[in-house]
Amino acid sequence: MAKKSATQRENADPPPQPVDAQLVAENLAKAGDLWQRILQELTAHTLSHAPSMGSTDPMALAESMLHVMRHMNVDPVRVAQMQLGLVQDHFKLWQAMTGKLLGKADAPFIEAAPKDRRFRDAAWQESPLFDYLKQGYLINAQWLEAAVKDIGGLDAHTARKLNFFTRQFIDALSPSNYLLTNPEAMRATLDSNGDNIVRGLTHLLEDIEKGGGSPRISMTDESAFSFGRDIAATKGSVVFENDLMQLIQYEATTPKVHKTPLLLTPAWINKYYILDLSPENSLVKWLTGQGYTVFIVSWVNPDERQGRKEFADYLLEGPLAALEIIEQITGEKQTALIGYCLGGTLTAITLAYLRAKGQQDRVVSATFLTTLVDFAEAGDLSVFIDDTQLTALEERMSEQGYLEASDMAATFNMLRSNDLIWSFVINNYLLGKQPFPFDLLYWNSDSTRMPAKMHAFYLRSMYQNNLLVKPGGIELDGVPINLGKIATPAFLLATKEDHIAPWKSAYVATQIYDGPVTFVLTDSGHIAGVVNPPVKKKYGYWTNDRLPPKPEDWLASVAPEHKGSWWPLWDKWQQKQLDGEMVKARKVGSAKHKPIEPAPGRYARVRA
């Protein structure tokens, strides 16, 4: 029998214990002491990070709320109708719950969405009290969302921002997030005589100390992973480095390899090893197993020394520098590119830059994974993009030359707050359990900083003004960037539930590039849809040779869903772009570019 890990042992539900008044009192006393320490830490942090008078509302939410109040005052009849509807719904719920108490087995008055995991515990259905709390919350949530969406006179950005933060407010008020209204947490408290509260507050204090006074919620058992051994563990070496990146070359695992090497360019918003997680989830390891010579860019985790780095520096010192080194190591003038998320945006810019320089033949093919080049509809991230918020962000970054990793992480976690915030509040703090080991969440917790000048340019030029899709809209290193001139064969992968790069926005690139384009849509989201190994047989994908202007028309005529991973499909496509020539497996590095250090390298090991 396999030995249980420390996390599994701690998380195992103990057998129910009879209530021990003395033990309850002792645990409550411990909880009181812990709570005092927590308040001291939070108060000290709040006082030391008090906002200046000019930045008390950087998201301009007060202005949006004032608009809501004005709208209500202008149309009091509509407000009264909405309030009456809310009262009627609660009266109907009361009638339904009365019937349930009398033994009637009627369907619930309102039900949670099928994918809503907050109310999975049986007590939310079986207990009249908790069922009433759940349904009452769902009625209020539905009413509030409808009330906000019904407000007229808002511009599209303000409306989206108001809707987004209303959802944050609604999610925060869920009864599942609080001890006395969460049946699972209440059972744990009674069964353990309050020991779960002590453990939960201990976890909260540890997370506050880890975050320097502001909670940095633990999402996984980080002690379960050894960086470079069982995560980011594919064998390879750093063969080149500059101020912004280390270039890693991986060891061949087949006797012969494709003549044309591969360069992977990930986003610099997170670490590169999302493409090299634990061995069973590693795209890099799988690619070496298919006979590719794989190089990857590992971006630096910047500090004040890189504060003046510009977007053009990421182009020149990133993929362009990598292409030079790859040619010197392999002797090949052509390379196949793979870009992920923002790394895909940079890959598109690289292709346009090379085309303008008359060097487009240096790249044989390009793969874009969940990539935006048209930012007109950038999903919920766009709620953070307006003059007020960007000015506040630029002022904050200018103080130290970079954006704190915690700020970036908090933004992305808010996009899926129930999954990435509240589920861990419940598990870690209410139930007093350790989070389970999960390689993807280990990576998600390993956030990176952003150089101030580069990040401001990226947000202003692309997210706010959408200049990248305008021919010559941005100029880098004196070269106007025109994506419409890209003639390189392209493979575009989007994910159906992507909350960062919405698939319909990623599809727009099919109408921009001038060369042959293949578009594939996968199931799941921004990460799980990409990191989908064939052995897992988990998510499927859709294909369609036709590329109509509208993504809805593409989806309406797609082939039936293909079962399994998109990785083998891409491999077949990639091999069609190559000349088929295989060469003897290459050694890592060369006489000129000797291995500097083993992968994952120093840059990836720096934690913010």
Side-chain angles (χ1 to χ4, degrees):
M1 182 178 293
K3 187 178 180 180
K4 290 186 177 180
S5 68
T7 300
Q8 290 173 320
R9 290 195 299 271
E10 178 173 337
N11 288 349
D13 292 326
Q17 303 176 32
V19 176
D20 184 329
Q22 181 176 350
L23 187 55
V24 170
E26 290 175 358
N27 282 330
L28 288 178
K30 292 177 184 177
D33 291 340
L34 286 165
W35 187 244
Q36 288 296 321
R37 292 175 60 190
I38 288 168
L39 289 178
Q40 290 171 3
E41 291 281 348
L42 292 175
T43 301
H45 178 77
T46 300
L47 292 174
S48 63
H49 291 76
S52 63
M53 290 300 293
S55 60
T56 54
D57 186 20
M59 295 179 181
L61 293 178
E63 181 181 346
S64 300
M65 295 309 299
L66 284 173
H67 189 100
V68 172
M69 298 305 296
R70 284 196 296 268
H71 177 79
M72 290 182 173
N73 289 332
V74 168
D75 193 0
V77 175
R78 174 61 179 157
V79 173
Q81 290 173 338
M82 292 171 57
Q83 290 175 334
L84 179 60
L86 178 63
V87 171
Q88 289 175 337
D89 283 347
H90 275 284
F91 181 71
K92 292 175 183 176
L93 173 61
W94 180 254
Q95 287 181 314
M97 296 308 299
T98 301
K100 184 173 183 176
L101 288 171
L102 295 175
K104 292 184 179 180
D106 294 335
F109 176 71
I110 185 171
E111 294 191 86
K115 292 187 177 181
D116 191 340
R117 305 193 307 174
R118 294 173 294 177
F119 305 110
R120 290 178 302 173
D121 191 272
W124 290 113
Q125 285 74 44
E126 297 170 358
S127 163
L129 172 62
F130 288 111
D131 190 15
Y132 182 78
L133 284 173
K134 175 194 69 177
Q135 293 193 60
Y137 163 75
L138 293 174
I139 288 173
N140 292 336
Q142 189 179 75
W143 178 86
L144 186 55
E145 278 197 281
V148 170
K149 287 180 180 178
D150 188 56
I151 294 171
L154 292 176
D155 62 88
H157 175 72
T158 302
R160 171 173 264 173
K161 184 165 64 173
L162 190 58
N163 289 332
F164 177 81
F165 285 104
T166 298
R167 290 200 305 273
Q168 300 299 311
F169 177 71
I170 289 170
D171 291 345
L173 291 182
S174 171
S176 58
N177 298 334
Y178 302 95
L179 177 64
L180 296 178
T181 53
N182 184 315
E184 187 180 5
M186 286 298 294
R187 277 201 310 275
T189 303
L190 294 173
D191 291 346
S192 69
N193 287 298
D195 185 59
N196 64 302
I197 299 175
V198 175
R199 284 185 279 116
L201 291 175
T202 301
H203 294 162
L204 176 57
L205 182 60
E206 291 171 350
D207 286 350
I208 291 172
E209 292 172 343
K210 181 173 61 177
S214 178
R216 184 164 79 85
I217 301 175
S218 297
M219 294 184 175
T220 187
D221 179 5
E222 295 183 7
S223 66
F225 299 99
S226 178
F227 193 55
R229 187 185 69 190
D230 48 18
I231 194 168
T234 303
K235 290 186 177 180
S237 296
V238 175
V239 292
F240 172 80
E241 65 184 33
N242 56 31
D243 287 344
L244 283 180
M245 67 97 173
Q246 289 187 318
L247 182 66
I248 297 172
Q249 181 183 356
Y250 291 95
E251 295 180 7
T253 58
T254 56
K256 289 192 172 183
V257 295
H258 294 285
K259 184 180 179 184
T260 304
L262 277 180
L263 171 63
L264 280 66
T265 303
W268 51 87
I269 289 175
N270 288 100
K271 301 287 183 67
Y272 84 88
Y273 65 89
I274 184 60
L275 299 173
D276 186 28
L277 294 171
S278 51
E280 64 272 16
N281 288 330
S282 173
L283 176 60
V284 167
K285 186 175 186 296
W286 184 84
L287 288 171
T288 61
Q290 308 311 303
Y292 292 100
T293 302
V294 180
F295 293 82
I296 198 168
V297 170
S298 173
W299 299 105
V300 72
N301 197 343
D303 54 28
E304 63 276 359
R305 291 171 295 180
Q306 287 87 19
R308 301 301 297 173
K309 289 290 185 180
E310 301 182 4
F311 199 95
D313 295 316
Y314 274 77
L315 169 66
L316 299 171
E317 299 180 44
L320 290 178
L323 287 173
E324 292 288 343
I325 303 304
I326 291 171
E327 181 177 348
Q328 293 171 19
I329 289 175
T330 66
E332 296 302 319
K333 295 185 179 298
Q334 287 193 318
T335 300
L337 303 184
I338 300 178
Y340 190 9
C341 189
L342 177 52
T345 306
L346 184 60
T347 296
I349 292 171
T350 301
L351 295 175
Y353 181 93
L354 292 173
R355 179 65 186 266
K357 290 280 192 177
Q359 301 175 24
Q360 63 269 21
D361 290 342
R362 295 181 64 185
V363 178
V364 68
S365 67
T367 298
F368 300 93
L369 307 178
T370 61
T371 294
L372 294 183
V373 292
D374 185 320
F375 291 78
E377 289 294 333
D380 282 341
L381 273 176
S382 61
V383 305
F384 301 98
I385 310 297
D386 55 43
D387 276 329
T388 301
Q389 295 183 82
L390 291 180
T391 299
L393 179 64
E394 289 163 353
E395 289 176 355
R396 192 159 72 250
M397 290 192 297
S398 67
E399 296 175 2
Q400 51 196 10
Y402 57 86
L403 177 66
E404 286 284 3
S406 57
D407 291 351
M408 182 66 68
T411 297
F412 281 104
N413 290 344
M414 286 175 68
L415 300 180
R416 293 175 55 201
S417 60
N418 282 328
D419 291 334
L420 296 177
I421 298 176
W422 295 113
S423 67
F424 296 104
V425 169
I426 295 167
N427 181 80
N428 302 3
Y429 307 151
L430 299 189
L431 301 179
K433 294 181 178 181
Q434 288 281 7
F436 284 97
F438 190 11
D439 56 359
L440 194 152
L441 289 176
Y442 179 95
W443 166 85
N444 190 64
S445 300
D446 192 4
S447 304
T448 55
R449 309 179 192 97
M450 295 292 107
K453 198 167 184 180
M454 178 284 302
H455 198 52
F457 174 88
Y458 169 55
L459 294 179
R460 292 278 188 187
S461 299
M462 299 179 198
Y463 270 98
Q464 185 181 31
N465 298 313
N466 200 22
L467 297 179
L468 183 56
V469 291
K470 300 175 182 177
I474 67 170
E475 186 176 295
L476 299 174
D477 189 37
V479 176
I481 301 301
N482 185 351
L483 301 185
K485 296 292 185 180
I486 295 174
T488 307
F491 183 101
L492 278 58
L493 183 93
T495 59
K496 200 171 186 180
E497 299 174 11
D498 201 325
H499 61 292
I500 295 173
W503 82 265
K504 292 180 181 179
S505 297
Y507 180 86
V508 176
T510 65
Q511 310 300 305
I512 297 174
Y513 302 149
D514 193 40
V517 173
T518 296
F519 183 82
V520 176
L521 180 66
T522 77
D523 204 0
S524 195
H526 190 75
I527 304 298
V530 174
V531 183
N532 183 24
V535 294
K536 294 291 184 70
K537 299 179 180 179
K538 195 168 185 181
Y539 301 116
Y541 60 90
W542 295 267
T543 59
N544 186 353
D545 292 335
R546 292 180 57 250
L547 297 174
K550 294 182 179 181
E552 296 85 356
D553 294 338
W554 181 92
L555 184 60
S557 57
V558 295
E561 181 181 9
H562 302 276
K563 301 298 182 183
S565 172
W566 61 272
W567 293 8
L569 174 73
W570 172 87
D571 184 35
K572 292 178 182 178
W573 175 87
Q574 182 62 69
Q575 291 192 45
K576 289 179 181 178
Q577 315 310 315
L578 308 179
D579 59 12
E581 185 176 352
M582 305 290 285
V583 298
K584 184 179 178 181
R586 300 177 173 106
K587 292 183 178 180
V588 173
S590 65
K592 183 178 180 181
H593 297 287
K594 296 179 180 179
I596 298 171
E597 60 178 327
R602 302 188 316 282
Y603 286 12
R605 292 183 182 277
V606 175
R607 295 184 72 90

